[in-house]
Amino acid sequence: MFSPTREQLEVVEHRTGHALVRAVAGSGKSATLVERIAHLVESGSRLDQILVLMFNKSAADDFRSRLSRRLPDGAPEVFTFHSFGRRLARKLACDGALSHARLVSSASESRQFARQVLSEHFAEYGEEPEDLSNEALDEYLSAIDMLKGALYTGGPLPGWASDAARLLSSFKLFEARRRRAGLRFFADLIYDPVLQARQDELVRASLADDYGHVLVDEFQDINDAQMEMVRMVAGERASVMVVGDDDQTIYGWRGARPEFMLSLFEKQFPGVKSYNLTGTFRYGHALSLLANSCIANNTMRAEKLCVSRTAHSTRIRVRLHTHGPADLAVEEIHAWIAEGRQLNEIAILVREYANAVGVEIAMHRHGIPARIVGAASFAEQTEVLVLRGYMSLAGGNTAVWDPSNAQAIIAAMLNTPTLYLKRAELSRLTAPGAPLSRTLRQVSSGAKSWLAQIRGKTADAMEWASRQSPDAPAAPFLLETIRRLSLFEHIHRTGVRKERIDERCRMIRQVIELAREHQHTVATLRELMREIVARQEEAADGVLITSVHRSKGLEWPCVLLPDLAEGQFPAQGAPIEDERRLYYVATTRAQDRLVLLAPLDRTLVEHSKLGRTGSPAPGGIKASRFLFESNLMLAAQVAEHIEGGTVGQARTGLAADHGGLALVDRYLRALEHN
């Protein structure tokens, strides 16, 4: 039974007009939104007059289930942006305002289309074809979607796309071929109807004013195309209520930015009534104080506090290491289990998956099952598959393939870099028992000079690997393989987003460091990776490893953040306010325990003891600046007084600077008010 707080009740009973609801992590915004819709229905609004928009299918399914339980006699339809866009596209097609088109839903068809577009694009300019591996094609298609999310139609590319201008200058060709073929990709379900409505006032009028109420959850994730869709459908009639948290705007690569919540919504929908949901039911006071202390350093945000409204406390543990976080992560997992808790209550959240390699290895070594969500194990990443393939060749050209991954390994070797193999050639190379290098030379006889050169270089690398001993040290073997294949150059040449390029390179470096640190031979490293892949299938109830980006909207009893080193989190060169929002999201996923793992940094210890706000100059610190900004000891001391019933003494004797004391005062006043 929903028992609303004062803040929630104000949102539920909002009368009319547009509303912007800023909701902190764990504030019960979904429950509030369900109750708001129930209030509209019970106040006489027709179901078909209420439009509810969500950002992904799982969120829509969950919300639909909640809504049907609250309104068992009938509830409004709940759409994702894409499913609603598909409805609009069908309507416009039936009206003759938009062409009918088939939705492309398979990855293989999407890649084939992209490959044809790029081949034509390079041929048009008389250039050699670009490397068209599946990874490169997926990044290209993702970048095309990003351009459509920004409602790009041509002309100068946005700044983020400048590094991939050679690929993305094919945008107009991509669109011309798509329209001729009568196709729509998922991004086009929004892009096509929105562009058509922009260009034709009659079309725009036909889509507007069908609803009296439009409600959007997770509004901080919106991009330009989705915002235009909301504006277009609302028309002059609908009251629009959006719910989100500008401090959780972490999907910048999709086009999300905090300005949508801070100013752009009000500019599009004048007369907005603003509400704040500041009470969190997820975690205790120490974590609320930590989160407030850190995120306050952002300037691009709405001023608000997160205040705990739960009786239980959240324990925050800071562990400092001298040789990497992996062993400490294992210790924390064992401690959790020793308390009678479960492995599947633990989530390890990483800034990027390359940072999880050491932890994944340590867990394997200690027999702790782990499941990775959002990416393959490091041992199954494309570039690592390539290295595994060359390690399998060591000791002779009759490769020691991992039977569970043989096809994937061989495919990676033949596509990184791409060898432009025809289907018949590929079949010969992947036939059981085929000697790779010899067969590759055979199928390449008579090839164009540039193609023969690329294939010859790969065949040379394969023959070199086959002459190496399986007992040779793995690190030098990997470095020489990378050099012979120009693997780093390949990644930079085929990548689209700089962040993804950097992560792929870091993944390789992590594997080299693993080989060096544990003094692996080619054979032992090859076997370790085989074992890790095999155990993935047995880890359904194991510890979860996933990215911070995938964790938003979720929560776990125990959360570990293993990569809190300056340069890793925040990532080197990344916009610092974006990174700080990511840290805020990561920390606020925890319910009972938050474990922060960072390099030993005596400056951090001294900084925390003195209760200083902010952080020192980044160049002189090892631990993440976000730990400095979190005011760890101050958060723990104040929370202890609040939870111990001695709130009146919470400010007494605190070691804190003016900024820290000001935050404590604000928090205690908010707590008293609530």
Side-chain angles (χ1 to χ4, degrees), residues 133-170:
S133 65
N134 284 345
E135 178 108 17
L137 292 170
D138 289 345
E139 288 199 34
Y140 169 73
L141 288 163
S142 176
I144 292 289
D145 286 352
M146 289 167 64
L147 290 173
K148 291 180 177 181
L151 293 175
Y152 176 79
T153 56
L157 289 164
W160 63 264
S162 57
D163 290 341
R166 183 167 178 255
L167 290 173
L168 296 181
S169 58
S170 65

Side-chain angles (χ1 to χ4, degrees), residues 53 81-82 84-86 88 189-190 193-194 224-234:
L53 292 172
F81 272 94
H82 288 90
F84 187 69
R86 191 173 192 179
L88 295 184
L189 296 175
I190 299 172
V194 166
D224 290 294
Q226 292 162 336
M227 182 72 168
E228 182 67 14
M229 176 186 278
V230 173
R231 173 66 271 182
M232 178 180 75
V233 171

